[in-house]
Amino acid sequence: MRVLVTGGCGFIGSHVVDAYIREGHDVAIVDNLSSGHEGNKNDKARLYIADVRDAILEDIFRQEKPEVVNHHAAQISVPLSVRDPLNDADVNIKGTLHLLDLSQRHGVRKFIFSSTGGAIYGDAEQVPTTEDYHPVPASPYAIAKFSAENYIRFFGEQHGLRYTILRYANVYGPRQIPHGEAGVVAIFTEALLQKKLPTLNHFADQPRGMIRDYCYVKDVAEASIIATAKDQRGMFNIATGVGTCTLDLYHLTLASLRKAGISLGPEYDEPQRAEARDGDIRVSTLNPAKALKELGFHARHTLEEGLSETVRWYLQKQE
Ligand SMILES: NC(=O)c1ccc[n+]([C@@H]2O[C@H](COP(=O)([O-])OP(=O)(O)OC[C@H]3O[C@@H](n4cnc5c(N)ncnc54)[C@H](O)[C@@H]3O)[C@@H](O)[C@H]2O)c1
């Protein structure tokens, strides 16, 4: 199939592109390289360096005639969305709307959207949270993602556009940058490799840090392959359903690095401490049952396996 992946030079998008190419699809990428880079690009994919809001996208759709649009480009920082909600909305709402309009006019068969279960549900009363829980987004980033979801649903109802919304948990793995929605694994790993003591953000009454559902990027990429092949319309949590606190994640990352032969003495056993940041959510885990039942998706990697592959990638990068 002809697939257009936006954000295909970024962390998750580049793994999605790799998975599509592996499955024999024909892939074009639109990316403005604001946080992604060309080094992540799969050699077999064509890259258009453009912003998803640019008028030139009309020409790209005409040229590429995509059957599937897989939208991963976004402003991805929660703190930045708090500081500059206008820019966040411009990229994450207007950018998505532009792609929806193009998709509808150019006969795209399916629209796949990377949304965020990690942020959209807010401090949910129900954890692990199911898709039918009404989102109370706690940051402009999450508000924009929820708004984009609603536009997608509207285009589905009004114009018959088929779509799948993937609400990701906290994604981690090779190629992640430390500044994104859920960069904590990248932050810890990069700091420890530079022999710096990382900082753990926490609420005063939750000293072990936030609780999150960490999902390995290669499992997440697989969800796009399944969504492309299946016809289920709707939204799906892409997650493990397992909650891990930041302190346990820190110790697991430390253990992975030590196992890989990195010498880190007892002075690294405890991270430094800082207060929670604006927009931080205390507990976020997602119920993956619907994705399992309707898509047959399940996250295959344990956190230990995913962390050890991630550490291996960092070490190869250093060679
Ligand atoms: N990382 C996570 O845990 C997580 C969780 C939930 C949802 N998501 C979503 O997954 C998607 C990918 O996130 P990521 O973590 O891989 O981030 P990333 O920054 O690595 O990837 C985003 C890519 O989009 C590109 N981009 C940004 N703005 C653009 C624009 N206006 N036009 C064209 N290209 C643009 C960037 O250059 C980058 O290559 C995003 O939509 C994000 O909101 C990520």
Side-chain angles (χ1 to χ4, degrees), residues 4-5 7-9 17 27-31 41-42 45-49:
L4 182 74
V5 181
C9 291
V17 170
V27 181
I29 296 170
V30 170
D31 197 306
K41 186 186 94 65
N42 188 298
R46 294 174 297 287
L47 170 62
Y48 296 87
I49 301 176

Side-chain angles (χ1 to χ4, degrees), residues 10-12 31-32 34-36 51-52 72 114 141 145 171 181:
F11 161 49
I12 303 173
D31 197 306
N32 68 358
S34 55
S35 56
D51 193 293
V52 289
H72 273 75
S114 58
Y141 168 79
K145 285 284 184 179
V171 187
E181 178 187 338

Side-chain angles (χ1 to χ4, degrees), residues 107-123:
V108 166
R109 285 166 48 183
K110 179 144 202 183
F111 194 90
I112 298 171
F113 180 59
S114 58
S115 188
T116 167
I120 218 167
Y121 298 118
D123 264 311

